[in-house]
Amino acid sequence: MRHFEQELEQLKGKLLEMSALVEASVQRSVAAVTQKDRSAAEQVLRDEARINALEMEIDEFAINLLATQQPLAADLRLVVAALKINTDLERMGDLSVHIAQRAVSLLSEPVIQPMVDVHHMSSLVESMVRKSLDAFVANDADMARSVLSSDDAVDSLRTASYHELVSFMEKDPRNIPQALDLIGITRSLERIADHSTNIAEDVMFLVKGIDVRHHAEARQ
Amino acid sequence: MRHFAVELEELNQALLEMGAMVESSIHCSVQALVDRDERMALRVMEDEKRINQMELDIDARVTRLLALNQPVAGDLRLLIMALKINTDLERMGDLAANMAERAITLSKVPPVKALIDTPRMASLVEDMLHRSLDAFVKRDAVLAAKVLPADDEVDSLRDKIYNELLEIMQLNPSVVPAAIHLMFVARNLERIADHTTNIAEDVIFLVRGVDVRHHATESKV
């Protein structure tokens, strides 16, 4: 294997380490909400520093790789995609921290009924996260495309739970603080789904060389 | 091949043009909210499409420059920063369009409260964006560092708005939907401020070669 290919593999390896951490944080933050698991929330808060450090490490590694190897065409696209995916992963880590923080404030509250939607939404989001990262590892454009279609389902679940939570607040103002936390959580889940979509779009760009961002027709 | 310096200058201009458009979108979305001006809000939503196109163009331009010129050291870092700034700007455009949508919804219901802190927050954020981009084109780390403290002011305005709205909602649950929209507007402005500090941190990194990301912020979590 050429030296350059080894470095590319190393870059992918670092991104995989980062994505495994982020995927675990997303899962733990959701468990912290749905199962009222305080230790899961605390683990998410602890792992954030490692995710942030890895983000900088990956950026640095990619920039050095560009400087020393001067890759072209597909290799260049891969490094640029790695930089973008890195940014998305770090942001997903931040969002799981937000969810974990809200989970902690919900620990002492009784579970209110719309939580059912949070379960459903979070399992869909978790599968999007997993699929987008698997698609990146396997260079699989079809798997990446399947992530894009889930995004609409997440959006409509979020809208439905939003309306439910609002009517809950209107019925009894004592529900307001808790419902606001849940609205924040579903909003963060929706954003995590958006970042998974970004990653899937980057994978499609890598594999097919077409930019599907902001172009609904190219996604088909 | 065209001269690299000329290409870099054009890239700067493209980023500034995009930045100016994002700045105006932030301003107009909040103005539309205050004035209950649906037409102005619709214009912001139209402009978002142009901002999206600018993002794609700038990414393509940077990738081409990386491929054709194989820059090293400072120039390479500059191009990577341009990619990151591009991503931040596009996201700010999204957040402004989201505020514009909320402005339209809110223009159809009675006002919840007088909006004083929200436009104040918006002008702070616009100023942060303006200065961070200025620091980028001037490669001025000192200017960039001055952007960072304003973020705390934005955060405390956000908390103030949030607490006020919470109180209003608890007293009068019929305004819950409208109050939530206003909370999200404050949250979006706070997120936009975060993106401007990303840009400022990138500039400091570019000039000093020191990564300031994740140092000041860690203790806040």
Side-chain angles (χ1 to χ4, degrees):
Chain A
M1 201 190 279
R2 287 182 304 144
H3 181 58
F4 174 59
E5 278 162 14
Q6 280 170 2
E7 292 208 1
L8 269 187
E9 283 309 307
Q10 263 179 290
L11 177 64
K12 272 192 136 176
K14 280 180 192 291
L15 265 182
L16 285 183
E17 186 190 345
M18 170 102 171
S19 60
L21 263 172
V22 169
E23 196 180 331
S25 281
V26 171
Q27 281 168 359
R28 287 194 185 107
S29 68
V30 166
V33 177
T34 56
Q35 294 158 37
K36 293 191 174 285
D37 183 342
R38 179 187 288 274
S39 70
E42 284 165 353
Q43 185 68 47
V44 172
L45 302 183
R46 272 198 300 277
D47 284 345
E48 201 211 0
R50 177 70 192 131
I51 292 174
N52 288 345
L54 257 176
E55 185 207 8
M56 294 193 279
E57 210 179 298
I58 290 171
D59 266 6
E60 210 41 47
F61 193 90
I63 292 172
N64 281 334
L65 205 151
L66 285 173
T68 55
Q69 306 287 339
Q70 315 230 327
L72 288 171
D75 291 338
L76 175 61
R77 282 213 302 270
L78 177 64
V79 179
V80 171
L83 282 165
K84 284 178 180 293
I85 291 172
N86 192 28
T87 306
D88 282 308
L89 286 171
E90 191 270 340
R91 194 62 207 126
M92 290 157 93
D94 271 359
L95 289 161
S96 52
V97 168
H98 290 170
I99 295 175
Q101 285 168 335
R102 297 209 185 238
V104 170
S105 86
L106 283 173
L107 280 174
S108 51
E109 305 272 347
V111 178
I112 61 175
Q113 175 255 334
M115 198 78 113
V116 180
D117 280 339
V118 177
H119 275 281
H120 191 176
M121 192 176 165
S122 57
S123 62
L124 195 57
V125 171
E126 281 175 39
S127 104
M128 285 174 75
V129 172
R130 202 167 40 245
K131 275 197 230 163
S132 66
L133 298 172
D134 287 350
F136 173 67
V137 178
N139 262 325
D140 187 337
D142 290 331
M143 196 188 290
R145 189 176 285 110
S146 75
V147 174
L148 306 188
S149 53
S150 301
D151 199 33
D152 294 336
V154 169
D155 288 349
S156 47
L157 275 174
R158 193 209 163 209
T159 307
S161 86
Y162 179 83
H163 290 302
E164 215 175 338
L165 286 164
V166 167
S167 65
F168 224 77
M169 293 159 94
E170 287 168 330
K171 246 182 275 165
D172 184 353
R174 280 172 303 179
N175 287 326
I176 288 176
Q178 182 182 7
L180 284 176
D181 277 331
L182 286 167
I183 286 175
I185 287 167
T186 53
R187 156 87 200 170
S188 295
L189 283 171
E190 184 211 348
R191 287 295 306 149
I192 290 175
D194 287 345
H195 287 288
S196 297
T197 304
N198 289 350
I199 293 175
E201 287 170 345
D202 282 333
V203 172
M204 289 176 73
F205 179 57
L206 268 179
V207 179
K208 305 242 161 156
I210 46 161
D211 203 331
V212 294
R213 292 177 298 170
H214 311 308
H215 290 289
E217 70 286 356
R219 292 159 167 255
Q220 303 307 313
Chain B
M1 203 197 324
R2 316 203 12 231
H3 200 280
F4 187 56
V6 177
E7 297 258 20
L8 276 187
E9 187 44 42
E10 281 177 7
L11 176 63
N12 265 344
Q13 285 311 314
L15 277 170
L16 280 183
E17 195 188 323
M18 184 172 173
M21 189 135 202
V22 169
E23 200 178 320
S24 133
S25 288
I26 298 164
H27 182 79
C28 292
S29 61
V30 173
Q31 200 59 48
L33 178 71
V34 174
D35 295 346
R36 308 169 75 76
D37 182 343
E38 185 172 343
R39 278 179 53 202
M40 189 183 278
L42 286 171
R43 262 207 312 280
V44 172
M45 291 166 74
E46 275 306 304
D47 282 348
E48 194 219 353
K49 294 177 194 150
R50 291 175 58 196
I51 292 171
N52 287 345
Q53 187 56 48
M54 287 173 169
E55 185 207 8
L56 298 181
D57 292 346
I58 289 173
D59 260 11
R61 191 193 280 267
V62 172
T63 309
R64 191 170 44 90
L65 285 179
L66 283 171
L68 295 181
N69 295 281
Q70 314 242 320
V72 290
D75 287 340
L76 174 61
R77 271 174 201 278
L78 184 70
L79 290 177
I80 301 303
M81 293 310 140
L83 277 179
K84 287 182 180 287
I85 291 171
N86 193 27
T87 306
D88 281 313
L89 286 174
E90 190 269 343
R91 190 64 205 126
M92 291 188 233
D94 273 358
L95 289 163
N98 182 273
M99 293 194 289
E101 272 178 64
R102 294 180 191 275
I104 292 173
T105 309
L106 287 170
S107 72
K108 297 179 166 69
V109 297
V112 176
K113 66 187 275 282
L115 296 174
I116 295 153
D117 288 330
T118 306
R120 250 180 70 201
M121 205 175 159
S123 67
L124 258 176
V125 168
E126 286 160 40
D127 185 53
M128 287 171 79
L129 172 57
H130 195 83
R131 285 190 294 153
S132 64
L133 287 176
D134 197 31
F136 172 72
V137 291
K138 290 181 179 149
R139 316 266 179 269
D140 187 335
V142 178
L143 211 56
K146 284 186 184 151
V147 174
L148 305 181
D151 200 34
D152 293 333
E153 206 177 328
V154 167
D155 287 350
S156 59
L157 268 175
R158 192 209 91 121
D159 290 343
K160 185 173 168 227
I161 292 171
Y162 189 92
N163 290 330
E164 246 175 50
L165 288 166
L166 185 61
E167 215 169 291
I168 292 173
M169 283 160 107
Q170 282 167 331
L171 289 173
N172 179 11
S174 72
V175 301
V176 161
I180 293 178
H181 283 302
L182 289 175
M183 280 181 170
F184 270 114
V185 168
R187 202 205 65 101
N188 283 4
L189 286 170
E190 182 216 340
R191 285 294 307 146
I192 293 174
D194 287 346
H195 286 288
T196 70
T197 62
N198 287 352
I199 294 177
E201 286 168 350
D202 282 342
V203 172
I204 296 171
F205 178 50
L206 185 67
V207 177
R208 297 193 185 149
V210 188
D211 208 329
V212 292
R213 293 178 295 172
H214 306 311
H215 292 303
T217 50
E218 236 132 65
S219 55
K220 272 196 269 176
V221 182

